[in-house]
Amino acid sequence: MKVLISLILFSFLGMPLGKKDQWDRQGLSEDYHGHIEDRSEGPYKKVQLLGINDFHGQLNVTRQINGRPAGRADYLAAYLRQRAAENENTILLHTGDMIGASPPVSALLQDEPTIEFLNKMGFDIGTIGNHEFDRGLDELLRLLNGGSPSAAKSYPGSRFPWIAANVISQNSGKPILPPYKILNVSGVPIGFIGVIMKQTPSFSSPNSVKGLTFTDEAEAINTYTRELKKQGVRAIVVLAHVPGKSKPNGELATGQLIELAHQADDEVDIMFGGHSHAYLNSVVDGKLLVQAYSYGTAFSDVDIEIDPGTKDIVRKHAEIVNVFQENIQPARDIARMINQYERKVEPAVNRYIGTAASPITAARNRSGESALGNLIADSKRAAMNTDFAFINPGGIRADIDAGRVTWGNLYVVLPFSNQLVKMNLTGSQIREILNQQWQTDTARILQISGFTYSWDDRHPAGNKIKEIYLPNGTMIDPDKIYSVTVNTYLADGGDNFTVFKNGINRVTGPKDIDALEKYIQQLPQPFSSAIEGRIKRID
């Protein structure tokens, strides 16, 4: 049976491996919601597009999905190779965030192991996500093109093209990467256009995207679709690091990718999404939209048929496939590669830090508070000896499991190596910062230390914050100056928390992971952390 994906929110509906002509009704894009066109049978070219998104260098990370082990690069490789063997015309592709927020096995080696994995798998094409810019444009181009300084003696770079139509160099006025690429499959051309969210600078460190302009995605897609049509290309696929989600049956599709589908040229057939780590398999404005969760725990399998006469896609359907580790053997060559890199980073990764009495998770309650967020925010405040501390929720990338905690575990939690910054802000500025948590459809609730507050979602953005209390029970003074610790990302106004840029008397401190390590080591062992009611939502 076709595999149906059910990560976290949905129940598992099938078992992996193999394709058959019978299709389950849930989780697949089928003609019942307008996916397969009514055409007469013909000698169509069958092509399979296998896609991943938001891998984040998770080479050796196993995640639990509904209590079942999933992910890891060697298992993902086994699935992709099995599917590729079933169709002679297979294209492997990705939609960005392949690197960044990576575990030590990749991050400590400059994410070169992740590029090697994609090379070994024979990926054909990909686009960039916001995390490809974590270390700046120069390092991104070095990773793609090869060269020094590298972690390996001779690093060749990516062996396949990366495309991006809407990231423009302010110096040259040209795209930093090829905007599109035509791949010929059995004599039929398929055009691929790459785009990334135009809002990328708002949730990237300003220095990492300095000198770059991110233009409108729809304008870029339509510009290069016209160019592809002039070259006789009628099968057009967009690789978009743009979010979207849907129900398993394709209904209730929402997000920026859905809006983009309505704006894109009707010649566009398929749009692969990313960024939101969500499930998406739907048809919008005649375009097939897919996104396969994240971290290598799933992939998208899009099967198309192309009329060799018209060169257009006449049939298309999609499936989102779980990468469950049961009932399949991991790819041996990828497992060997992982082991090789694990040995290189082992001395640092396995260093003992402490023992967790119970799991400490980043899962936020209804008010927006998490046990792990509290622990990290407390470590920041202690390291810089300030009144308050804040951490952006996107900076926390994993949980701390119960038991022995190593430096490698902490690195997976805080993989960005941000330094801490001490600054001074007034009480009124702190209130304004808290109100800046509601700038998008999804609130970005900061994790905090040193105070408590309440918020009311019934009030409009900019006026949701109510009482803010100090530990002694008094209310924050809007005119008083308080010392605050944040990471460099927030200090530079990341996630549109622009008020932090106005902080004065700045002092740079240790890296966030070093502060967390030191803080845990001085706690009574085994250590713990819990939700304490620091943030309270008013009903």
Side-chain angles (χ1 to χ4, degrees):
M1 296 174 69
K2 279 276 189 173
V3 180
L4 306 179
I5 193 140
S6 58
L7 302 187
I8 306 299
L9 297 178
F10 310 114
S11 61
F12 177 65
L13 300 174
M15 292 296 291
L17 311 182
K19 289 184 180 180
K20 292 184 179 180
D21 293 332
Q22 297 296 318
W23 298 81
D24 285 297
R25 281 307 202 186
Q26 191 173 19
L28 301 178
S29 49
E30 281 262 28
D31 55 344
Y32 70 95
H33 59 92
H35 210 150
I36 298 179
E37 299 181 18
D38 185 15
R39 302 286 182 92
S40 59
E41 292 294 331
Y44 299 141
K45 299 289 185 181
K46 295 183 178 181
V47 181
Q48 179 177 239
L49 308 175
L50 303 180
I52 63 173
N53 56 274
D54 302 281
F55 182 63
H56 290 288
Q58 305 286 293
L59 297 172
N60 65 340
V61 178
T62 294
R63 294 179 180 265
Q64 295 295 316
I65 307 300
N66 290 340
R68 303 171 64 186
R72 270 188 64 105
D74 43 358
Y75 286 92
L76 174 63
Y79 273 84
L80 293 176
R81 286 171 175 170
Q82 184 181 69
R83 291 293 173 112
E86 296 171 355
N87 194 316
E88 62 177 334
N89 299 319
T90 296
I91 293 174
L92 291 178
L93 58 88
H94 72 75
T95 57
D97 277 8
M98 294 297 100
I99 60 173
S102 307
V105 71
S106 183
L108 295 186
L109 300 170
Q110 298 173 236
D111 276 321
E112 292 171 10
T114 295
I115 303 300
E116 181 179 345
F117 164 64
L118 298 175
N119 286 342
K120 280 182 175 291
M121 287 302 300
F123 268 70
D124 296 285
I125 197 161
T127 192
I128 49 178
N130 53 294
H131 283 288
E132 266 77 30
F133 291 100
D134 281 352
R135 298 188 185 103
L137 177 60
D138 289 344
E139 173 61 8
L140 169 58
L141 295 178
R142 186 200 68 80
L143 263 181
L144 300 188
N145 300 325
S148 297
S150 63
K153 289 183 179 179
S154 178
Y155 172 67
S158 175
R159 295 196 181 101
F160 62 93
W162 296 54
I163 55 176
N166 68 324
V167 185
I168 311 299
S169 166
Q170 293 172 3
N171 287 333
S172 69
K174 298 178 180 179
I176 62 169
L177 295 171
Y180 68 91
K181 179 75 174 178
I182 300 172
L183 300 181
N184 284 284
V185 181
S186 295
V188 177
I190 303 176
F192 293 84
I193 302 170
V195 292
I196 182 175
M197 285 178 293
K198 61 185 176 184
Q199 300 94 341
T200 294
S202 69
F203 42 78
S204 299
S205 171
N207 289 333
S208 69
V209 292
K210 187 177 181 180
L212 300 176
T213 299
F214 292 75
T215 65
D216 184 78
E217 309 96 322
E219 290 180 7
I221 290 170
N222 293 339
T223 294
Y224 292 106
T225 296
R226 288 191 293 269
E227 190 167 319
L228 286 168
K229 287 194 287 187
K230 288 179 182 177
Q231 299 178 54
V233 178
R234 291 293 182 270
I236 298 176
V237 178
V238 170
L239 308 183
H241 194 75
V242 176
K245 64 180 180 179
S246 74
K247 295 292 186 181
N249 61 2
E251 295 177 355
L252 300 178
T254 59
Q256 289 177 246
L257 191 65
I258 282 71
E259 298 168 10
L260 186 58
H262 287 292
Q263 299 168 15
D265 192 301
D266 287 341
E267 199 69 61
V268 172
D269 299 284
I270 302 163
M271 303 178 78
F272 286 81
H275 187 69
S276 55
H277 299 197
Y279 175 101
L280 172 62
N281 184 4
S282 187
V283 176
V284 176
D285 193 33
K287 304 170 181 71
L288 170 58
L289 312 184
V290 293
Q291 182 184 189
Y293 289 100
S294 60
Y295 299 139
T297 59
F299 64 93
S300 49
D301 182 341
V302 176
D303 295 318
I304 62 176
E305 295 184 27
I306 303 176
D307 186 326
T310 64
K311 295 183 172 58
D312 204 356
I313 294 174
V314 295
R315 290 179 177 163
K316 53 196 176 187
H317 57 245
E319 175 191 5
I320 306 300
V321 186
N322 277 321
V323 180
F324 287 124
Q325 294 180 1
E326 305 156 354
N327 303 319
I328 191 170
Q329 293 298 312
R332 292 182 180 179
D333 60 326
I334 304 301
R336 285 194 300 268
M337 185 199 82
I338 293 171
N339 290 336
Q340 169 194 342
Y341 287 121
E342 284 180 329
R343 288 194 297 269
K344 284 189 175 183
V345 301
E346 184 177 12
V349 169
N350 289 338
R351 182 161 53 83
Y352 173 76
I353 303 300
T355 300
S358 58
I360 304 173
T361 76
R364 298 188 293 275
N365 66 5
R366 186 170 178 270
S367 297
E369 181 183 348
S370 77
L372 185 53
N374 288 346
L375 179 71
I376 296 171
D378 287 347
S379 73
K380 290 172 177 277
R381 186 162 67 98
M384 302 299 283
N385 191 28
T386 55
D387 297 315
F388 310 139
F390 298 85
I391 179 170
N392 52 304
I396 305 172
R397 308 300 289 199
D399 301 328
I400 293 178
D401 294 330
R404 187 176 187 269
V405 177
T406 66
W407 183 89
N409 299 141
L410 298 189
Y411 194 95
V412 175
V413 173
L414 296 175
F416 296 110
S417 297
N418 280 312
Q419 287 186 288
L420 302 185
V421 178
K422 177 181 179 180
M423 64 176 66
N424 288 340
L425 293 164
T426 66
S428 62
Q429 286 176 311
I430 290 168
R431 176 177 290 274
E432 188 178 356
I433 286 166
L434 293 174
N435 273 310
Q436 285 189 319
Q437 295 173 129
W438 291 271
Q439 298 182 60
T440 62
D441 293 337
T442 302
R444 293 191 178 102
I445 303 297
L446 296 164
Q447 302 301 288
I448 61 171
S449 177
F451 67 100
T452 63
Y453 74 93
S454 59
W455 60 277
D456 191 335
D457 201 35
R458 294 169 294 186
H459 290 261
N463 193 35
K464 293 183 183 290
I465 301 302
K466 300 307 169 187
E467 292 81 9
I468 306 174
Y469 288 102
L470 301 176
N472 63 8
T474 62
M475 294 184 68
I476 197 170
D477 185 339
D479 298 319
K480 185 177 178 180
I481 294 176
Y482 298 93
S483 57
V484 172
T485 300
V486 294
N487 57 29
T488 48
Y489 178 75
L490 283 178
D492 291 335
D495 282 349
N496 274 335
F497 287 102
T498 56
V499 178
F500 284 121
K501 296 170 70 175
N502 299 325
I504 60 174
N505 300 327
R506 295 184 174 222
V507 177
T508 301
K511 290 183 178 180
D512 52 7
I513 187 173
D514 296 335
L516 181 58
E517 174 186 348
K518 183 177 179 180
Y519 186 74
I520 289 174
Q521 288 175 331
Q522 58 86 37
L523 290 174
Q525 299 295 323
F527 70 95
S528 61
S529 183
I531 292 174
E532 303 171 352
R534 299 181 185 185
I535 306 171
K536 182 180 180 181
R537 176 174 178 170
I538 300 173
D539 293 320

